[in-house]
Amino acid sequence: MGTLTGRTALVTGGSRGIGRGIAERLAREGALVAVHYGSNREAAEKTVAAIGEAGGRAFAIGAQLGVPGDADALWTAFDAALAARGAPGGLDILVNNAGINAHGRIHEVTEADYDRVFAVNVKAPFFVIRQGLDRLRDGGRIINISSGVTRIAFPAIAAYAMTKGAVDTLTLTLAKDLGPRGITVNSVSPGIVETDINPWLADPDAHAQAAAYSAFGRVGEAADIADVVAFVASDDARWITGQAIDATGGSLLGP
Ligand code: NAP
């Protein structure tokens, strides 16, 4: 028996990167996992297959986020996929992980880039939660993937950093609102993690600099974040809510 046996989880952006790590880890704990993707269905199917090979249970659902009607599309696909499996409706764990970056210092950010990063990183999770609240069972978990850039200033990603500040405020606000239902709401804030969102890590000098940010002297891996999310999703984390949990590997703690 895993810590999440009998639970159903949805991981947005569960097809690749950090989300894939989270989907795999929650499935390893026994959860039935909905692996969401935006456009890359093949990646989602690979993740579902890997979970199945490891003895877990998962299925893929696609829905583009950051566009009108995104939350409706996601939940319609989720409901249909559960019904098709003959599984009970609803869920216990919602992980809002899907996100995009937006490069640029303030004078470099275009209005279109600003709108896009807020649509995907802020508006989408807000409405995914809003439409999901009647599906999320009492005692459940909402886990929002934020970023260490809410603590550490990175002017080169000004608009992106703001989106994660909004996510943390959403976490705090909802934690108060949903406490009476026994639902915890927390953010998990990664530092730099080796995923497709960071193609610049391919440069050895940039990689070494990123590694040096962490107290442990290495770049993060998806599993480093997934393990924290699995804890927050578990019963052991029942007394933690409204928090932004730093999972940056001790990035830039001091001189
Ligand atoms: P990633 O490797 O680029 O994966 C992004 C995932 O989100 C994919 O599954 C992708 O699916 C999905 N996605 C992206 N845009 C979408 C959209 N418009 N609609 C639907 N799905 C969409 O990114 P990652 O590095 O794992 O990042 C995951 C989360 O961690 C993000 O919220 C990010 O801000 C946060 N984070 C990452 C780092 C880091 O260094 N990697 C650090 C701090 C925080 P498709 O491929 O199908 O579009």
Side-chain angles (χ1 to χ4, degrees):
M1 288 276 281
T3 58
L4 302 177
T5 298
R7 314 274 167 88
T8 300
L10 165 59
V11 183
T12 69
S15 56
R16 297 191 286 112
I18 293 171
R20 175 176 173 153
I22 294 168
E24 291 183 329
R25 180 65 212 274
L26 298 186
R28 189 144 42 93
E29 292 299 337
L32 168 63
V33 182
V35 175
H36 161 265
Y37 65 94
S39 51
N40 188 342
R41 183 181 176 152
E42 198 185 334
E45 280 170 356
K46 275 190 192 156
T47 300
V48 168
I51 288 172
E53 280 158 25
R57 296 180 307 142
F59 57 90
I61 55 166
Q64 196 60 232
L65 299 177
V67 296
D70 52 3
D72 274 338
L74 181 142
W75 288 116
T76 300
F78 176 81
D79 294 344
L82 279 183
R85 296 176 63 90
L91 78 167
D92 306 281
I93 302 157
L94 169 60
V95 183
N96 286 301
N97 162 80
I100 56 172
N101 202 350
H103 291 282
R105 292 174 59 199
I106 188 163
H107 58 282
E108 296 163 327
V109 176
T110 66
E111 196 173 344
D113 288 345
Y114 180 98
D115 286 345
R116 176 82 186 135
V117 74
F118 269 81
V120 176
N121 292 8
V122 181
K123 187 176 178 186
F126 183 95
F127 284 96
V128 166
I129 294 170
R130 180 173 178 241
Q131 323 276 79
L133 280 180
D134 56 354
R135 293 171 174 86
L136 189 64
R137 283 183 270 280
D138 289 0
R141 301 279 184 268
I142 297 174
I143 302 167
N144 299 317
I145 304 303
S146 178
S147 169
V149 298
T150 56
R151 169 175 66 82
I152 307 159
F154 273 90
I157 46 173
Y160 170 84
M162 287 172 68
T163 67
K164 297 303 188 180
V167 164
D168 285 353
T169 303
L170 176 63
T171 292
L172 178 68
T173 305
L174 282 180
K176 177 78 178 161
D177 210 9
L178 299 179
R181 289 184 55 193
I183 295 171
T184 73
V185 189
N186 291 289
S187 295
V188 171
S189 306
I192 297 171
V193 180
E194 197 101 46
T195 72
D196 298 342
I197 214 170
N198 293 322
W200 53 271
L201 282 172
D203 173 59
D205 290 340
H207 195 282
Q209 192 186 354
Y213 290 150
S214 162
F216 303 120
R218 69 169 174 85
V219 171
E221 294 168 10
D224 295 322
I225 313 307
D227 288 351
V228 178
V229 171
F231 165 67
V232 176
S234 75
D235 288 339
D236 285 351
R238 65 192 171 280
W239 207 235
I240 301 173
T241 196
Q243 304 305 304
I245 297 160
D246 187 293
T248 67
S251 287
L252 296 173
L253 288 179

